[in-house]
Amino acid sequence: MNVLILVVDDEPDVTDLFRQQFRRELRAGRFAMGFAHSAAEALDRINGSNDPSLILMLSDINMPGMTGFELLPRVRAARPDVPVIMITAYGDAETREKVIAAGAVGLITKPIDFPVLKAEIDRRLSALSGAA
């Protein structure tokens, strides 16, 4: 099963950072990563496909144009089957409560703790293989 994780962040270096951090997993074909550099681009990707292989979306909160908070309900409406984890530099309790109330399954703070994120992805992949 080929699965996809979509990363939404307006910072151009995020693509290279994620590819570097997950290079072993990507090379081994455990999952693929797609990248959207704006909320609008993410919506185009999500609305343009009902690809069942999309298993997780990671989205920055602070982006120009449409924020991650504005993107979240649209993703939940279009693809309620896809869990969303929000990413922010401001991981205070109020922000955490706000993203969970809006429908995200979690919040990761910057700088990203990649071992924690890898463990979260591993849990999701294990759940998929257990369900298959």
Side-chain angles (χ1 to χ4, degrees):
M1 174 185 224
N2 191 16
V3 296
L4 175 68
I5 296 168
L6 180 61
V7 180
V8 185
D9 198 307
D10 62 304
E11 294 182 31
D13 60 339
V14 166
T15 300
D16 291 337
L17 176 64
F18 272 80
R19 283 190 176 136
Q20 178 185 12
Q21 290 294 323
F22 291 99
R23 68 185 173 278
R24 286 189 184 111
E25 293 85 350
L26 295 171
R27 239 185 277 136
R30 290 192 67 218
F31 53 83
M33 290 193 121
F35 299 91
H37 298 289
S38 69
E41 185 182 340
L43 283 174
D44 285 346
R45 288 195 66 162
I46 288 170
N47 289 327
S49 166
N50 278 335
D51 184 359
S53 67
L54 180 60
I55 63 158
L56 180 64
M57 188 174 100
L58 306 168
S59 177
D60 191 21
I61 290 177
N62 294 316
M63 296 183 286
M66 185 187 314
T67 69
F69 276 123
E70 294 165 327
L71 172 63
L72 182 58
R74 293 178 179 194
V75 171
R76 301 302 306 136
R79 293 293 305 268
D81 59 311
V82 177
V84 179
I85 296 175
M86 303 303 288
I87 301 172
T88 185
Y90 311 101
D92 58 90
E94 182 180 339
T95 301
R96 185 171 302 280
E97 289 173 17
K98 189 174 176 183
V99 301
I100 299 301
V105 297
L107 178 71
I108 295 175
T109 56
K110 292 180 180 180
I112 296 171
D113 185 338
F114 281 99
V116 168
L117 181 54
K118 286 179 182 184
E120 176 67 24
I121 291 170
D122 285 344
R123 276 192 297 278
R124 295 188 181 283
L125 291 172
S126 292
L128 277 179
S129 63

